[in-house]
Amino acid sequence: MIKHLKHALITPSIAVMAFSAAAQTGTQPKLIEKVTRKGSELVIPYEKYVLPNGLTVILAEDHSDPLVHVDITYHVGSAREEIGKSGFAHFFEHMMFQGSDHVANGDHFKIITESGGTLNGSTNRDRTNYFETVPANQLEKMLWLESDRMGFLLDAVTQQKFEVQRATVKNERGQNYDNRPYGLAGQYASKTLYPYGHPYSWLTIGYIEELNKVGVNDLKNFFLRWYGPNNATLTIGGDLNAKQTLAWVSKYFGSIPRGPEVKNMSLPAPVLKSDRYVSYVDNYAKLPLLSISYPGVKIYDKDMSPLDALSAIIGQGRNSIFYKNFVKTRKAAQASMGSSNTELAGEITMRVVPFPGQTLGDAKKLVDESLTEFEQKGVSDDDLARFKANSEADYINSLSSVNGKVSELAQAQTFTGNPNQIGKELAAIRAVTKEDVMRVYNQYIKGKPAVILSVLPKGGALQPVAPDNFTIDTTGYKRPDYGYSGLTYHKAKDSFDRAVKPGVGANPAIKVPAMWSVNTPNGINIIGTENNEIPAVAISMSIKGGGLFAVANPAKAGLAGIVGKMMNEGTQKYTAEEFNSELEKLGSSISVFASFDQVSVEVSSLTKNLSKTMALLEEKLYHPKFTQDDLDRIKKQTLEGFKQAKTQPAGVATTVYGKILYGTHNVRTYAAGGNEETVAGITLQDVQDYYDANFAPSVTKVVVVGDVNETAAKNALAFLNTWKDKKVTIPAPAAGKAFDKTTLYLVDIPGAAQSEIRIGYLDNINYDATGEYYKLTIANYILGGAFNSHINLNLREKRGWTYGARSSFSSGKYGGDFTASAGVLATATDSSVVEFMKEITNYQKTGITADELKFTQTSIGQADARRYETNDQKAAFLSRIQEYNLKPSFVDEQNKILSTITPAEINQLAAKYLDPNKMIILVVGDKAKNYAALQKLGYPIVELDADGKPKQ
C-alpha cells in the first residue's frame, strides 16, 4: 500500500487551475505546467497535461534505469462507499484485474508478467490506484491495458468472476484482520470515533456480511459513477520519450467519454464530548492492548508536521517518553504514538501492549503520567533536530525508485491539484518550532476526550480500562445522494482496432552495475557500486556464523538472536538513548540482527553525513556495552513473543513445517531465535563470550551502494583495518529428514478463520547460480512462481479459496527445499489440499507446454530490467556475488540457460524433484472444522502441538 503524504500544502489557485483545464474543449492534450530541476534542489521534473475528457496526465522522464512505472489513480476509496455497502471500493479493485472487452480473464496479469513486469493495485480511504513497473519497451502495451479497463470493463463482468473475487476478498480479510492478533482494533476504534454513516467509520476491507449483500449491478454502478477519466490521474515515469508517450496516451485514453462530475468531499471533524470506552475479546492475542485515539487533522493541514513531531517525541524511538516509561522499565512490550492524516479527517493514536502483571488500567495511568511529564519537560533542541533529520532522510530514501517518484507525483496531484509538493513538504517539516509542538499538544491532546479501546486476550481475567459506555447513535443520519441515478454506459469509439495488442519496442539495454572490490589487510572483502540517483548511501555488513554456533551448543540456541538485539543497545561511550539520538540527528540508522548463518549490520546514511555515521558504526562494532538490565528486558520481550507467535496460524505453520522436515530436536530449526527453555538460560557472560569469540574480520563481508565512489567508500571504512583477527570455526548443521510416504500433519488452532497449508520436502540441493538449482527455479515458475501459475490460478482465480497460493525451490549453502503454501478458507481446507496435490502431481507427470515455456522465458528474461534499480536491489545483487564467489558474468550465463532450456529438460527436472509421494502435508487450522474431511483424503494423520511435538 502507498501511504498518504502528510506534509503537503494546498493553495486554492492550483485547484482552480486544474479544474478549469479539465473543462476545456478541443482534441489535443493541454500542457498545464512543466517543472525542471534548478541546481541541486530536490524536485521530480515532470510535464502535466489534461486531455479533453478530463484525464490528468503527468510525465516524468528519467533515464537512470531502463524502466517505466505506470500509475493510474482514481479519486475513489472507501470514503465514497454507501452505508451498508462497505468494502466495495476495495472489492472493485480486485474486479479491475478480471479482464475487459479486449483482454481475456486472467490475461492482465499474464501480459504484464510475460513482459517482465510487476503489478498491483491498492485501495485506501480516499483513492484507488493501479500500477505496473515494466521494461521501457513495454510502455505502449501497458497504456493499452489500462485504457481498456477504464473504457471497456462492464461487458466483460460476469457473475462468476464477481463471486470468485468476492471469495478472494473474504480470504484477504481473514488473513489480514480476522486471523491476526489485534487485527480488528482499527475496526472498533473507527466505528467508535466517527459518527454513524461517516465513511471512515468502517475499514477499507469492509464487513463480510455487507459484501455478501452486494450484487453485480452494484459493481457496475460503482464503475460508472467513479471510474471516469475526469476522476483519474495517469502518471508515467522512467525511461520514456515524452512526445511519443503523450501520443500513445491520447490514442488509447482520448476517446473514453467523461464520467459524471466528481466533487471533493468535506465532512465535519468528529467531535467527542467525553471519553468513549469500548472493548472486545481477541482470539489470537496473548497480551492485551490499550489504544487511545483523538481526533486529529486532515491531510495538508498546517498542524500535520507539528503533530508528527509531537508523536515522535512522546512515542517513537528510544528517546521517546513512552520508550523510557514503558519499554525500558519492562512494563510493556510496545508503546507508541502516531498521527495519521487523510482527506476527510485525521487521527492521533497511542498504543500500549502491557506485559503480564500490568493491567490496562495501569497502562492508562502511566500514559497520563507520561503526558504530564511531557508538559513539564517541554521540547528540546535535540527533539526537533532528530525529528527533522529523520523526516528528511525518510523522504529522500522514498524517492530511490521510479515507483516512489511516480507515487509522490500521483498522490500530490490527486489531493492538491499540484504534483510539485516536495519542496513544500520539506519546508513544512523544517519550519516546525518548539512552540508549534506545544500548541498542538494543548489543542488536540491535553484534557481532550478520546476513544479508549481495550483489547482483551481470550480466556483471560484481565478487565478493560473501564466498562463500555458508547452506543452507536443512528438517529439524525441523513443519507447523502451518491449520484447513482440515471447512470449509463457509453463505450469509446476508436479510429483503430483496439483488439490488436500493441507490439513492443527494442529490448532495453540492461547494464549490470559496475562494481569494485577490495580486501582489507585483515581479511574483510568489501564490494561496492556507485549510484548517485539520491544523496544517500547504504552499507551492509555480514558476520558469518549467526545461529550456526548453536549446533555445537544446543542449550544456548537463540544466543545469536539475543546478541544481535544487545548490539542495538548502548556502547562504552553512549547509552542506547544517546547513541540513537546521535544517529537520528544525522538522519541515519544502524541496525543489527541475527539469522540462521550470520549476524547482519545494516547502515543507512545521507551522503553528507557518511563520515559521522561511520564514526558511530565504529563505536557500535568495536565497543558495545552489554548490561544485565538490557539482557533481562530483551529476554522478557523474546519469551513473550514466543507465546504470541503460537496463536498466529501462519507463523505456527512456518515453524512447525521446519521441525517436521528437519526433526523436532534439530537445532537448525531454532538456532538463531531459540525457544522458551534455551533463551531463559542465556546469561550476560554468554553474550560477551559470543561477541568475543565470533566477531572477527576474517568472517566479515561488506557491501557499499549509493552516492559514494570507491575511494571515498574505502576511506569511510578505513577503521575496519584496525580490527584484530582471530580464528573462528563455524560448525555445519545436521541434515534433515527424508519421507517415503505422504503424511498429513495437523496443528489445531481453535476458531481459526483460515487454514495454513504447507506441502513439500527437502531436496538437499545447494544454491548454484548456473546449475540445477537455477534450472529448478525456471521449472517452478509456471507451477507456482508466477501469479499466472497453475497453483494460484486454480486456488485463487478459479475457486476463490485463497488470497494467494504459491510454490518455490529455495536453497543456500546447507541444502534446500521445495514448498507449496497458502492460507485458505477454513471450509475449503480439504479441497485445497486435494487441488495442491493434483497440480503438483500433474506437473510432475505432464510437465510444461511449449507455450508455457515461452511465457516463462520471456517473463524471467524481461524482468532483468528491474533487477538493479534501487540501492537495496544493487546491494542484494552484490551480496549474492560475494556470498557465492560468483563472477558478474553469471547473469549472462543464466540468460543463456534460460533462452536455450528445452521442455524436455524441464520435464525431466519436474519428474525427478516433484514426487508427491516424498512430500509431507501440514495443515494449521481449526481441527473441529477440518478433521473429518481431512480423514477422507486417505493420508495418515499425525496431530502436533504448536511446538511441532506429537500430541498425546
Side-chain angles (χ1 to χ4, degrees):
M1 299 293 285
I2 299 173
K3 66 180 182 178
H4 269 157
L5 296 175
K6 296 169 51 175
H7 308 286
L9 305 175
I10 186 168
T11 59
S13 61
I14 294 175
V16 170
M17 178 186 71
F19 177 78
S20 63
Q24 65 172 314
T25 59
T27 59
Q28 297 300 316
K30 182 177 180 180
L31 176 64
I32 303 300
E33 64 176 336
K34 182 173 182 177
V35 171
T36 57
R37 179 178 287 110
K38 298 174 183 177
S40 59
E41 68 174 330
L42 188 63
V43 68
I44 305 170
Y46 67 88
E47 297 174 4
K48 173 181 167 182
Y49 298 85
V50 173
L51 268 58
N53 60 8
L55 177 67
T56 299
V57 181
I58 301 169
L59 305 179
E61 201 166 342
D62 177 356
H63 301 290
S64 54
D65 294 284
L67 299 171
V68 289
H69 184 80
V70 178
D71 176 291
I72 187 157
T73 297
Y74 294 89
H75 198 168
V76 53
S78 57
R80 304 284 190 182
E81 293 168 352
E82 301 177 66
I83 187 77
K85 292 182 179 178
S86 65
F88 210 76
H90 172 256
F91 179 22
F92 190 79
E93 176 208 317
H94 281 247
M95 290 302 302
M96 283 282 278
F97 289 98
Q98 301 312 301
S100 48
D101 279 3
H102 309 101
V103 181
N105 186 23
D107 276 6
H108 196 100
F109 279 97
K110 182 179 180 181
I111 288 169
I112 294 177
T113 305
E114 190 173 26
S115 299
T118 182
L119 71 158
N120 213 328
S122 70
T123 309
N124 63 26
R125 288 171 163 180
D126 305 314
R127 65 97 185 102
T128 305
N129 73 336
Y130 305 87
F131 50 93
E132 45 268 341
T133 306
V134 294
N137 63 324
Q138 302 286 342
L139 176 55
E140 184 184 5
K141 194 186 299 180
M142 299 306 107
L143 298 176
W144 171 74
L145 279 170
E146 286 293 356
S147 65
D148 207 64
R149 59 180 175 183
M150 177 188 278
F152 300 86
L153 180 81
L154 289 194
D155 288 344
V157 172
T158 66
Q159 189 68 37
Q160 181 184 8
K161 292 179 185 178
F162 182 86
E163 295 300 341
V164 168
Q165 291 310 309
R166 174 155 50 190
T168 300
V169 171
K170 291 179 184 179
N171 279 295
E172 182 178 356
R173 179 179 166 109
Q175 180 173 311
N176 293 338
Y177 297 89
D178 298 329
N179 227 27
R180 179 173 292 182
Y182 318 119
L184 297 178
Q187 177 173 290
Y188 279 87
S190 294
K191 68 181 182 180
T192 308
L193 177 63
Y194 293 99
Y196 178 78
H198 193 293
Y200 286 179
S201 63
W202 55 81
L203 297 179
T204 301
I205 193 74
Y207 293 100
I208 292 294
E209 58 270 24
E210 294 182 3
L211 282 172
N212 285 336
K213 294 177 183 177
V214 298
V216 71
N217 287 330
D218 295 302
L219 180 144
K220 291 184 177 182
N221 278 332
F222 193 87
F223 172 81
L224 291 173
R225 179 66 185 92
W226 306 112
Y227 272 72
N230 49 303
N231 195 37
T233 297
L234 173 63
T235 309
I236 309 164
D239 190 15
L240 57 88
N241 176 289
K243 183 178 180 180
Q244 176 63 78
T245 302
L246 189 63
W248 285 333
V249 170
S250 298
K251 174 181 177 180
Y252 293 112
F253 288 89
S255 60
I256 300 173
R258 294 175 68 92
E261 182 183 5
V262 178
K263 295 181 179 179
N264 288 339
M265 296 177 68
S266 181
L267 292 174
V271 176
L272 306 182
K273 296 181 179 179
S274 60
D275 287 336
R276 295 178 180 177
Y277 291 94
V278 62
S279 64
Y280 77 94
V281 175
D282 192 310
N283 290 332
Y284 301 101
K286 281 294 185 181
L287 296 175
L289 168 71
L290 169 67
S291 174
I292 305 172
S293 299
Y294 299 87
V297 300
K298 299 177 183 179
I299 195 168
Y300 321 128
D301 190 276
K302 65 180 177 60
D303 287 341
M304 286 190 304
S305 289
L307 280 169
D308 285 342
L310 174 70
S311 300
I313 294 166
I314 294 177
Q316 295 173 17
R318 289 175 180 266
N319 289 282
S320 68
I321 295 172
F322 278 3
Y323 184 85
K324 176 178 72 70
N325 291 348
F326 284 100
V327 180
K328 193 80 171 174
T329 59
R330 303 198 289 279
K331 292 180 179 178
Q334 302 171 26
S336 63
M337 177 177 174
S339 173
S340 61
N341 315 102
T342 41
E343 189 171 21
L344 304 180
E347 297 158 27
I348 306 159
T349 303
M350 303 171 189
R351 282 190 161 198
V352 180
V353 179
F355 274 134
Q358 299 288 312
T359 67
L360 291 174
D362 295 333
K364 176 62 168 61
K365 181 173 182 290
L366 189 51
V367 166
D368 294 339
E369 292 171 356
S370 298
L371 295 180
T372 300
E373 179 182 338
F374 169 75
E375 291 182 47
Q376 297 170 347
K377 171 180 174 285
V379 182
S380 69
D381 291 336
D382 275 2
D383 288 336
L384 282 185
R386 287 193 297 268
F387 165 71
K388 293 179 181 181
N390 261 336
S391 299
E392 179 181 1
D394 287 346
Y395 206 112
I396 289 172
N397 286 320
S398 73
L399 302 177
S400 63
S401 67
V402 65
N403 181 341
K405 294 167 188 170
V406 165
S407 299
E408 158 71 22
L409 294 171
Q411 290 185 91
Q413 169 62 35
T414 299
F415 296 117
T416 72
N418 180 4
N420 189 21
Q421 293 293 325
I422 295 179
K424 294 179 181 179
E425 299 231 7
L426 290 173
I429 293 168
R430 292 164 180 161
V432 174
T433 65
K434 298 177 185 179
E435 292 74 20
D436 287 332
V437 178
M438 294 307 301
R439 174 179 54 77
V440 296
Y441 170 76
N442 288 316
Q443 183 173 345
Y444 300 102
I445 304 294
K446 184 178 180 181
K448 301 298 186 292
V451 170
I452 301 170
L453 168 67
S454 301
V455 181
L456 307 170
K458 184 179 180 180
L462 282 172
Q463 298 299 309
V465 173
D468 292 8
N469 70 348
F470 178 72
T471 302
I472 296 174
D473 182 7
T474 62
T475 63
Y477 172 69
K478 184 178 179 180
R479 186 185 184 89
D481 180 3
Y482 292 96
Y484 286 106
S485 61
L487 297 175
T488 55
Y489 183 30
H490 300 287
K491 282 192 182 182
K493 295 180 180 178
D494 294 311
S495 59
F496 65 96
D497 186 357
R498 192 177 281 267
V500 177
K501 181 171 63 174
V504 298
N507 286 342
I510 310 299
K511 294 182 180 179
V512 172
M515 63 193 74
W516 52 267
S517 179
V518 65
N519 292 313
T520 64
N522 51 1
I524 302 172
N525 177 249
I526 305 175
I527 189 171
T529 187
E530 185 175 1
N531 176 28
N532 56 14
E533 197 167 338
I534 59 172
V537 180
I539 297 175
S540 299
M541 177 181 295
S542 61
I543 303 169
K544 301 305 174 187
L548 284 173
F549 292 111
V551 172
N553 188 1
K556 298 299 181 181
L559 177 56
I562 296 295
V563 170
K565 294 173 182 176
M566 291 286 282
M567 289 289 293
N568 290 309
E569 299 296 328
T571 69
Q572 299 297 327
K573 184 177 179 181
Y574 300 102
T575 65
E577 292 75 19
E578 290 168 343
F579 190 90
N580 280 272
S581 178
E582 294 301 311
L583 277 175
E584 289 173 357
K585 284 187 286 187
L586 299 172
S588 301
S589 66
I590 300 175
S591 60
V592 185
F593 56 92
S595 60
F596 168 65
D597 60 355
Q598 67 183 33
V599 173
S600 300
V601 184
E602 300 292 338
V603 183
S604 175
S605 173
L606 298 179
T607 307
K608 64 183 180 181
N609 294 328
L610 182 59
S611 62
K612 292 180 180 178
T613 304
M614 290 300 94
L616 290 170
L617 176 61
E618 179 179 2
E619 172 72 12
K620 172 73 70 179
L621 187 63
Y622 288 177
H623 307 293
K625 185 177 182 180
F626 305 128
T627 69
Q628 189 65 47
D629 186 65
D630 289 337
L631 177 61
D632 291 344
R633 170 170 41 81
I634 289 170
K635 285 173 62 175
K636 185 173 184 178
Q637 291 171 332
T638 303
L639 292 169
E640 289 297 331
F642 289 140
K643 296 177 184 178
Q644 182 67 70
K646 291 178 183 178
T647 69
Q648 301 177 59
V652 170
T654 299
T655 300
V656 173
Y657 180 67
K659 291 186 176 183
I660 296 171
L661 293 181
Y662 289 102
T664 306
H665 300 293
N666 191 325
V667 73
R668 71 181 291 162
T669 64
Y670 59 100
N675 57 34
E676 290 92 330
E677 293 77 23
T678 62
V679 169
I682 290 172
T683 67
L684 191 63
Q685 191 60 51
D686 293 329
V687 173
Q688 188 66 55
D689 290 346
Y690 184 104
Y691 171 81
D692 291 340
N694 302 323
F695 276 54
S698 57
V699 290
T700 298
K701 300 179 185 294
V702 178
V703 175
V704 184
V705 177
D707 186 24
V708 60
N709 61 33
E710 177 181 355
T711 300
K714 288 191 289 189
N715 288 340
L717 292 167
F719 72 91
L720 292 174
N721 296 331
T722 65
W723 195 359
K724 292 184 179 180
D725 199 14
K726 63 177 74 75
K727 182 176 176 56
V728 177
T729 302
I730 301 173
K737 299 170 66 178
F739 301 87
D740 55 8
K741 68 176 180 178
T742 304
T743 300
L744 192 151
Y745 297 85
L746 177 64
V747 178
D748 185 24
I749 305 287
Q754 285 187 306
S755 298
E756 288 288 336
I757 297 174
R758 304 289 184 271
I759 299 172
Y761 77 109
L762 296 177
D763 58 30
N764 296 315
I765 298 176
N766 288 343
Y767 175 86
D768 185 341
T770 56
E772 196 160 63
Y773 170 74
Y774 175 66
K775 292 178 182 178
L776 281 170
T777 66
I778 299 173
N780 175 72
Y781 194 75
I782 200 66
L783 172 64
F787 184 91
N788 285 69
S789 67
H790 296 181
I791 288 172
N792 194 58
L793 287 181
N794 186 343
L795 272 73
R796 171 176 162 147
E797 295 300 288
K798 181 179 178 180
R799 305 178 190 277
W801 292 341
T802 180
Y803 185 45
R806 65 210 61 84
S807 66
S808 66
F809 286 93
S810 62
S811 190
K813 292 185 174 181
Y814 303 101
D817 64 83
F818 168 81
T819 300
S821 65
V824 303
L825 189 67
T827 54
T829 302
D830 59 319
S831 302
S832 297
V833 170
V834 169
E835 295 304 319
F836 259 123
M837 296 303 286
K838 183 188 298 182
E839 293 294 352
I840 294 169
T841 301
N842 287 345
Y843 195 63
Q844 188 217 17
K845 291 180 178 179
T846 63
I848 198 168
T849 68
D851 284 345
E852 288 173 340
L853 177 56
K854 183 179 178 181
F855 167 81
T856 298
Q857 291 169 322
T858 305
S859 177
I860 296 176
Q862 288 281 317
D864 267 358
R866 295 187 289 108
R867 281 189 181 183
Y868 318 116
E869 183 188 11
T870 66
N871 282 350
D872 286 345
Q873 288 173 312
K874 289 180 171 70
F877 175 72
L878 296 186
S879 293
R880 190 161 296 278
I881 287 175
Q882 191 180 55
E883 177 72 10
Y884 294 101
N885 195 28
L886 303 174
K887 296 178 180 179
S889 60
F890 86 88
V891 175
D892 297 327
E893 294 179 54
Q894 286 186 336
N895 288 335
K896 183 177 180 180
I897 292 169
L898 178 66
S899 64
T900 58
I901 198 167
T902 65
E905 287 179 89
I906 287 181
N907 295 345
Q908 185 178 13
L909 289 169
K912 179 179 179 182
Y913 287 104
L914 290 174
D915 184 351
N917 296 315
K918 294 181 178 179
M919 299 183 188
I920 60 98
I921 302 168
L922 170 65
V923 174
V924 179
D926 191 330
K927 176 184 174 182
K929 295 177 183 177
N930 298 316
Y931 191 77
L934 290 173
Q935 277 186 311
K936 295 178 182 178
L937 301 184
Y939 301 113
I941 296 179
V942 177
E943 292 189 61
L944 305 174
D945 63 18
D947 289 315
K949 298 175 182 177
K951 295 190 75 172
Q952 302 300 320

